[in-house]
């Protein structure tokens, strides 16, 4: 019996039953909306427990289930649910666990659409939110109120790479019955198994590293069977935002090479990081596993690795020179998202009007790089040329 926790076993074997599909190595895409029943009693049983078998592909689907089992195991969780994208997974995980009158404590600067959910949607249903810096655990938790029922974390987040002490926060929340949820997209379970720290719901955007080829979207929640069942029977089925079989198949394919890609991306990122340290136009760098990182000790304790995102503050007198630098790059393409094969750049100043640029506001000079699968020298040469023009 192979070790059920072995990453290689999980990715290459777990959940696959070749005999049931002509001994094909690649699992089939079961592209069906519905499933047939021989007797009324069989159908009745399916209605009674939609999570117990296949009834309709808004619920469970066999292709999706292979992925689901692997993703649960990678996180060391009892179960998982796979969504059409990351935002849908966040939506379901949060909405399933809050009600009118509840208060949510969230880290500052969560993903854009997470903040939108809290500020623009849940506020209409009587749920309040406080955003706080999660780097000082005691200060963060001091915002918990008698009606706080949910704590939302993102560690690291995707621009400042802020991290939180996951075990300390879970230990605080559990006895109070406060549900904890984390966006673990940056690390994936390969670099950070958040359920092991006591977090109730781990979310990741499969669009990023699991897909890995910038050709599909997906989102994942993992947690206890009870929690996943609760979400499945309500928000998952009702919002109808589960992943479709073809996209699940693409994610299964991406998953095969996840550890190899992360390994390569990590090595390249470290090389680019060392290069950036020599560049006079780089004011300061943000990377969790660099000794200059403000939460370096915690990052080392909590994360097995760090991946392809590096942020840095560029020394620039005006917005034109930041734009000139970004526009001049050829190897780094300018786009949102990350986690694919291709290296990317995105400057914070793209989110403001040129006239609003304030050189004394460091955020306006923040740039995020994503390091993909290209040769590191190809990337470093490109950056080098770009900086020489600033
Ligand atoms: C991309 C991203 C999301 C949203 O995922 P989608 O698949 O685009 O919906 C959520 N959180 C983080 C940290 C992300 O990077």
């Amino acid at each position: 019996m192979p070790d059920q926790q072995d990453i290689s076993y999980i990715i290459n074997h777990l959940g696959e039953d070749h005999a049931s599909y002509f001994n094909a190595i690649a699992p089939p895409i079961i592209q069906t909306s519905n499933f047939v029943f021989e007797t009324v009693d069989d159908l009745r049983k399916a209605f009674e427990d939609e999570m117990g078998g296949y009834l309709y592909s808004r619920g469970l689907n066999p292709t999706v289930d292979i992925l689901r089992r692997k993703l649960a195991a990678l996180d060391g969780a009892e179960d998982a649910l796979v969504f059409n994208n990351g935002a849908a997974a966040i939506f379901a995980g949060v909405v399933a666990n809050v009600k009118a009158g509840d208060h949510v404590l969230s880290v500052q600067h969560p993903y854009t659409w997470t903040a939108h959910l809290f500020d623009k949607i849940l506020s209409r249903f009587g749920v309040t939110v406080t955003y706080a810096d999660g780097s000082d655990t005691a200060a963060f938790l001091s915002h918990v109120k008698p009606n706080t029922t949910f704590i939302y974390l993102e560690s690291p987040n995707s621009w400042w790479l802020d991290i939180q002490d996951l075990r300390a926060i879970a230990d605080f929340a559990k006895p109070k019955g406060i549900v904890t949820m984390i966006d673990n997209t940056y690390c994936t379970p390969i670099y950070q198994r958040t359920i092991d720290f006591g977090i109730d719901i781990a979310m990741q955007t499969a669009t990023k590293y699991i897909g890995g080829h910038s050709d599909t979207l997906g989102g994942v929640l993992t947690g206890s069977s009870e929690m996943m069942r609760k979400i499945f029977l309500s928000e998952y089925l009702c919002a109808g935002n589960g992943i479709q079989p073809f996209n699940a198949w693409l994610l299964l394919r991406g998953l095969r090479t996840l550890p190899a890609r992360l390994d390569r991306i990590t090595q390249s990122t470290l090389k680019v990081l060392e290069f950036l340290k020599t560049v006079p136009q780089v004011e300061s760098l943000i990377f969790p596993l660099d000794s200059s990182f403000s939460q370096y000790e915690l990052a080392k304790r909590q994360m097995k690795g760090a991946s392809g995102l590096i942020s840095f503050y560029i020394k620039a007198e005006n917005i034109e020179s930041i734009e000139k630098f970004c526009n001049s790059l050829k190897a780094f393409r300018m786009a949102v998202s990350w986690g694919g094969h291709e290296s990317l750049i995105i400057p914070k100043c793209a989110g403001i009007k040129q006239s609003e640029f304030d050189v004394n506001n460091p955020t306006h000079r923040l740039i995020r790089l994503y390091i993909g699968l290209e040769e590191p020298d190809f990337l470093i040469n490109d950056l080098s040329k770009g900086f020489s023009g600033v």
Side-chain angles (χ1 to χ4, degrees):
M1 187 67 186
D3 177 3
Q4 301 286 319
Q5 294 286 317
D6 186 311
I7 288 173
S8 296
Y9 170 73
I10 295 167
I11 288 178
N12 296 288
H13 303 287
L14 180 77
E16 299 184 49
D17 177 13
H18 305 286
S20 68
Y21 37 82
F22 310 103
N23 293 318
I25 289 287
I29 304 166
I30 309 286
Q31 189 70 26
T32 187
S33 54
N34 43 2
F35 299 83
V36 292
F37 295 86
E38 294 301 328
T39 67
V40 173
D41 197 47
D42 288 344
L43 183 57
R44 181 179 296 120
K45 285 196 185 101
F47 284 144
E48 279 167 7
D49 178 17
E50 191 163 346
M51 216 178 187
Y54 302 118
L55 169 70
Y56 189 57
S57 282
R58 177 155 28 80
L60 300 184
N61 170 283
T63 306
V64 177
D65 264 358
I66 300 172
L67 179 64
R68 179 177 152 222
R69 287 195 55 195
K70 288 180 191 290
L71 291 170
L74 279 182
D75 244 334
E78 287 174 0
D79 203 354
L81 292 173
V82 195
F83 294 80
N84 206 27
N85 52 61
I90 295 168
F91 194 95
V94 174
V95 169
N97 286 289
V98 295
K99 61 182 186 314
D102 285 354
H103 171 255
V104 174
L105 173 59
S106 168
V107 283
Q108 62 182 359
H109 313 308
Y111 180 69
T112 319
W113 293 99
T114 309
H116 182 99
L117 169 63
F118 291 141
D119 297 337
K120 306 283 195 245
I121 300 180
L122 292 183
S123 60
R124 302 196 331 251
F125 299 93
V127 176
T128 54
V129 60
T130 303
Y131 297 102
D133 178 356
S135 61
D136 177 338
T137 307
F140 178 67
L141 293 174
S142 73
H143 296 280
V144 166
K145 302 178 189 186
N147 63 335
T148 305
T149 56
F150 200 80
I151 296 181
Y152 190 87
L153 309 171
E154 197 174 309
S155 182
N157 68 356
S158 60
W159 275 93
W160 289 271
L161 313 185
D162 295 340
I163 64 174
Q164 300 95 50
D165 187 333
L166 303 182
R167 191 180 297 279
I169 293 171
D171 285 351
F172 170 91
K174 199 136 274 181
K176 294 186 173 55
I178 299 173
V179 174
T180 50
M181 176 166 165
I182 186 172
D183 184 335
N184 191 35
T185 302
Y186 181 98
C187 279
T188 80
I190 306 292
Y191 282 164
Q192 178 169 265
R193 293 225 318 194
T194 59
I195 300 286
D196 293 347
F197 294 122
I199 298 294
D200 295 311
I201 307 174
M203 176 270 164
Q204 46 171 330
T205 305
T207 312
K208 310 289 161 62
Y209 286 123
I210 293 177
H213 295 74
S214 305
D215 54 11
T216 186
L217 279 76
V220 189
L221 294 181
T222 57
S224 67
S225 304
E226 190 189 350
M227 178 62 81
M228 293 302 108
R229 187 177 181 79
K230 167 175 145 166
I231 297 171
F232 177 80
L233 292 174
S234 182
E235 284 71 20
Y236 189 93
L237 282 174
C238 187
N241 50 18
I243 195 162
Q244 295 301 297
F246 179 61
N247 289 353
W249 186 86
L250 285 173
L251 294 180
L252 273 171
R253 191 163 77 152
L255 202 56
R256 307 283 194 206
T257 55
L258 176 66
R261 284 184 287 108
L262 276 183
D263 211 37
R264 160 79 181 202
I265 289 167
T266 302
Q267 299 312 321
S268 301
T269 301
L270 294 175
K271 287 188 183 148
V272 174
L273 193 74
E274 288 314 311
F275 164 74
L276 289 172
K277 284 181 184 172
T278 67
V279 174
Q281 292 91 335
V282 172
E283 186 174 286
S284 61
L285 281 161
I286 311 178
F287 187 70
L289 290 182
D290 188 70
S291 57
S292 67
F293 188 64
S294 58
Q295 296 171 281
Y296 180 55
E297 290 305 318
L298 176 59
K300 269 200 303 190
R301 199 163 75 227
Q302 205 164 259
M303 296 160 54
K304 276 186 259 167
S307 49
L309 293 185
I310 304 175
S311 293
F312 67 92
Y313 294 99
I314 190 167
K315 275 186 209 153
E317 291 303 321
N318 50 53
I319 193 167
E320 286 78 11
S321 51
I322 300 177
E323 293 189 16
K324 188 178 165 208
F325 167 71
C326 296
N327 297 349
S328 73
L329 299 181
K330 301 274 186 296
F332 285 85
R333 310 314 309 269
M334 213 181 314
V336 298
S337 197
W338 45 277
H341 56 92
E342 76 293 3
S343 292
L344 299 172
I345 183 163
I346 186 165
K348 263 284 176 203
C349 68
I352 57 165
K353 291 198 175 64
Q354 279 192 328
S355 58
E356 290 166 356
F357 181 77
D358 175 5
V359 71
N360 296 317
N361 181 347
T363 300
H364 290 180
R365 292 185 286 105
L366 188 59
I367 292 180
R368 190 183 79 189
L369 295 178
Y370 164 67
I371 310 304
L373 292 169
E374 304 92 334
E375 291 295 331
D377 286 346
F378 177 67
L379 301 174
I380 290 169
N381 282 339
D382 193 41
L383 289 170
S384 184
K385 276 196 204 118
F387 279 120
S388 66
V390 182

